[in-house]
Amino acid sequence: MLLKNSLEGGVNGQTITTANSGGASGSAFNYTVGGRYTTAHAAHGNVSAACDPNAIMWFQWYPLSGNGNRYGRADFRFTRPSVDQTWVALVLGT
């Protein structure tokens, strides 16, 4: 099964939700935490996801628990170095 989501169907400034993540964007996410659509800096196309400072953001297809495959998406762009520590965690597995 091919799952993909370009975020291109999102509206600039709107929070990304399971309800608005599909359609023209592609496969709707089953879970979303944080994140909003932005046209300020796109990884490809015209729309991408933005995470507010000191916030958490993740998008996932399929359940958080139980057996089976899990699918997600990860794109990173750091606009400027910071004296504060910046970290990214991409967890694979349980």
Side-chain angles (χ1 to χ4, degrees):
M1 170 188 296
L2 176 64
L3 296 169
K4 66 180 194 173
N5 189 299
S6 67
L7 302 170
E8 289 297 311
V11 176
N12 187 44
Q14 197 172 66
T15 299
I16 300 170
T17 66
T18 57
N20 71 13
S21 64
S25 294
S27 307
F29 298 114
N30 295 91
Y31 297 95
T32 64
V33 174
R36 59 183 158 70
Y37 293 107
T38 181
T39 56
H41 303 285
H44 49 78
N46 298 308
V47 183
S48 65
C51 183
D52 293 322
N54 302 315
I56 295 173
M57 175 176 72
W58 101 70
F59 312 119
Q60 180 175 331
W61 290 284
Y62 295 105
L64 291 171
S65 61
N67 295 327
N69 295 328
R70 287 159 184 82
Y71 305 90
R73 174 186 171 140
D75 299 298
F76 307 102
R77 178 182 183 275
F78 299 100
T79 56
R80 59 183 137 74
S82 172
V83 294
D84 295 332
Q85 196 174 41
T86 299
W87 61 273
V88 174
L90 183 59
V91 178
L92 303 172
T94 57

